[in-house]
Amino acid sequence: MAEFDDIIHQPLRLKIMAALNSLPVTAAGLEFSRLKKLTGATDGNLGAHIETLAKAGYVSVEKAFVGKKPQTTVTATGAGRGAFARHVATLQEIISGKQG
């Protein structure tokens, strides 16, 4: 049986990765405020989990200004998409009862 990815397995990080992986590979990612709304997380909690995912190489973070307002966009990397796919496959093995 495949192993859980300890980084992705945490519930909020799983939500973040699910949201990002629902986008096409060519998409620009999701703005911080949109991720916050989708996950129900606080600013600080979401920021800390995004940082963990970024350190693992699973997401990239781009900070810019739109007018005078800061805007943070988070995008799943190729490594992050692969890790998420493996994690989901492990969950599917458990659900289907096919774990070794």
Side-chain angles (χ1 to χ4, degrees):
M1 181 173 101
E3 294 292 317
F4 283 122
D5 184 305
D6 289 336
I7 293 171
I8 294 175
H9 190 63
Q10 195 283 337
L12 180 53
R13 291 193 292 264
L14 182 59
K15 287 181 187 178
I16 294 166
M17 293 303 294
L20 296 174
N21 277 274
S22 70
L23 301 172
V25 174
T26 57
L30 290 173
E31 292 179 23
F32 186 91
S33 59
R34 181 73 178 131
L35 270 175
K36 181 180 171 187
K37 187 173 186 176
L38 288 170
T39 61
T42 63
D43 286 351
N45 201 14
L46 182 59
H49 286 290
I50 288 171
E51 185 176 332
T52 298
L53 290 166
K55 284 181 181 177
Y58 290 175
V59 300
S60 63
V61 179
E62 184 177 316
K63 295 180 184 245
F65 279 89
V66 177
K68 293 184 178 184
K69 293 181 75 176
Q71 180 177 311
T72 300
T73 303
V74 183
T75 306
T77 63
R81 286 182 176 274
F84 181 77
R86 289 186 298 278
H87 189 78
V88 168
T90 300
L91 292 171
Q92 288 172 332
E93 284 180 19
I94 292 168
I95 291 166
S96 69
K98 294 181 182 176
Q99 66 268 29

